[in-house]
Amino acid sequence: MTDTADNAYARAGVDIEAADRAVDLMKEWVEKARRPEMLGGLGGFAGLFDASALTSYKRPLLATSTDGVGTKVAVAQMMDKHDTIGFDLVGMVVDDLVVCGAEPLFMTDYIATGKVVPERIAAIVKGIAEACVEAGCALVGGETAEHPGLLAPDEYDVAGATTGVVEADDLLGASLVREGDVVIAMAASGLHSNGYSLARHVFFTRAGWTVDRHVDEFGHTLGEELLVPTRIYTKPALAIARETETHAMAHITGGGLANNLARVMPPELKATLDRATWTPAPVFDVVRRVGEVAQPDLEATLNCGVGMVALVAPDSVDAALARLEELGIDSWVAGEVGVDPAQQGTVELVGQHPGW
């Protein structure tokens, strides 16, 4: 007897019925992550977004960003907790987009897995949708792919892309940065989604800890700490970009604070940040001590407590700090911009964190 196409595909390891059930389960969450400009729903070959609103711009610039969450997915799989990793995915892409002053409009996602478990896929999409709501963008579509033989049944990876828009006259960046600008740091919620290869090596390989180990410094288990979702700065960052004289911003991801801030520094200027102005969350100090990681290596890998930085004109600092506080973001003056005699657009960290 000849197999039907569905049966043959299932015998090869791909479960179409499970994929259909996953779509049914995620519909509720995707519906929550809509904007008025979004057309249609799940099931189309492409997501649709009504761009007629862009006619109100004099010169609209489209911005796009794509990313994943790296090896943080391995921790989610170890914990069998999947409803926060989507939040990390959105945070990685929308906060890259917002640094140029762009408002994220819509997002798409891609989930690859060894075996489609509908409840797990729905949990991932739930996190993505909730984060899109917080960022103010629509989740217009996505794709779930089953890769038996390439990924183990419980393994998956996620990626996503977002598109946004900024008025050309409101574009932020290095060309606007001036001597005397003040560096405002915005607190990270934790490790965010970078440096997990280092963190996993320190905690699981070197120290031999497990995800259910209670860590006094954290006040909860190691796994709970490692799964703290990435903070989404989109709306607060857009608020200060629109309401104050903010010249540039930097999303602090892989490479750490100095390397990411240097990406928006003109060659003739130098930013100097004082570590004494903040105390990183305990997780950073624990990685440092347990792993015996030298501070330069730590700072070149992890965000060390700062998830976003804004370069603001001196007379806008108080207003920017007040607005960020109003929107629930801990922030502080971490340094200032001066002349760089070496003409390299460098960023220097001086001083030491309290208690380090």
Side-chain angles (χ1 to χ4, degrees):
M1 177 177 172
T2 303
D3 280 338
T4 65
D6 281 359
N7 286 340
Y9 212 8
R11 294 222 313 242
V14 177
D15 190 339
I16 294 175
E17 289 185 3
D20 290 341
R21 174 163 165 72
V23 171
D24 287 338
L25 291 175
M26 70 177 71
K27 283 180 178 178
E28 170 191 355
W29 301 108
V30 175
E31 188 62 27
K32 294 178 185 296
R34 294 183 69 93
R35 285 176 53 128
E37 303 94 337
M38 182 176 166
L39 303 178
L42 288 180
F45 286 95
L48 297 175
F49 191 90
D50 184 351
S52 60
L54 301 186
T55 58
S56 63
Y57 288 74
K58 290 184 294 184
R59 186 187 169 200
L61 302 180
L62 293 180
T64 185
S65 173
T66 186
D67 207 343
V69 299
T71 61
K72 189 170 185 175
V73 296
V75 180
Q77 291 156 25
M78 293 168 70
M79 294 280 289
D80 194 22
K81 179 175 172 55
H82 313 286
D83 60 351
T84 62
I85 206 73
F87 216 94
D88 294 292
L89 176 63
V90 176
M92 286 297 98
V93 295
V94 297
D95 286 335
D96 271 358
L97 194 77
V98 78
V99 298
C100 69
E103 175 190 359
L105 299 175
F106 57 84
M107 177 165 176
T108 56
D109 66 79
Y110 180 83
I111 304 170
T113 182
K115 177 179 175 59
V116 170
V117 178
E119 293 76 14
R120 184 168 61 207
I121 299 300
I124 297 170
V125 174
K126 172 180 180 287
I128 295 172
E130 290 178 333
C132 283
V133 171
E134 182 159 331
C137 67
L139 180 58
V140 298
E143 178 74 15
T144 300
E146 199 166 36
H147 292 168
L150 183 61
L151 295 169
D154 291 333
E155 290 181 342
Y156 63 82
D157 199 8
V158 296
T162 186
T163 297
V165 62
V166 58
E167 184 68 72
D169 289 344
D170 298 329
L171 186 67
L172 305 181
S175 64
L176 301 180
V177 179
R178 300 287 183 264
E179 179 184 0
D181 279 353
V182 175
V183 181
I184 292 180
M186 303 178 214
S189 57
L191 295 177
H192 286 182
S193 299
N194 303 103
Y196 272 74
S197 293
L198 172 63
R200 289 167 53 244
H201 174 75
V202 167
F203 292 132
F204 303 139
T205 304
R206 183 183 177 93
W209 293 3
T210 59
V211 290
D212 59 357
R213 177 191 177 100
H214 181 86
V215 181
D216 290 342
E217 292 93 333
F218 305 157
H220 46 238
T221 67
L222 173 62
E224 289 171 322
E225 179 64 31
L226 294 180
L227 283 189
V228 170
T230 300
R231 175 162 287 155
I232 292 179
Y233 301 92
T234 306
K235 290 181 179 178
L238 285 175
I240 65 169
R242 292 164 176 167
E243 300 167 18
T244 73
E245 191 180 344
T246 296
H247 294 153
M249 287 186 280
H251 186 200
I252 311 307
T253 56
L257 178 55
N259 288 331
N260 280 286
L261 181 53
R263 295 166 66 179
V264 294
M265 292 298 299
E268 69 275 10
L269 297 177
K270 172 183 178 179
T272 303
L273 281 68
D274 186 356
R275 299 185 187 94
T277 60
W278 81 96
T279 301
V283 65
F284 300 101
D285 193 33
V286 174
V287 170
R288 180 177 69 98
R289 291 186 288 104
V290 172
E292 297 181 341
V293 181
Q295 190 163 353
D297 292 335
L298 196 76
E299 292 176 336
T301 308
L302 306 179
N303 67 58
C304 290
V306 179
M308 183 76 79
V309 166
L311 300 178
V312 178
D315 58 3
S316 284
V317 170
D318 290 344
L321 292 173
R323 190 72 170 106
L324 290 170
E325 180 181 11
E326 179 183 326
L327 294 171
I329 301 294
D330 291 334
S331 60
W332 63 94
V333 171
E336 62 182 2
V337 175
V339 174
D340 183 4
Q343 294 283 299
Q344 294 181 339
T346 57
V347 176
E348 183 181 13
L349 301 178
V350 299
Q352 187 55 283
H353 302 301
W356 278 40

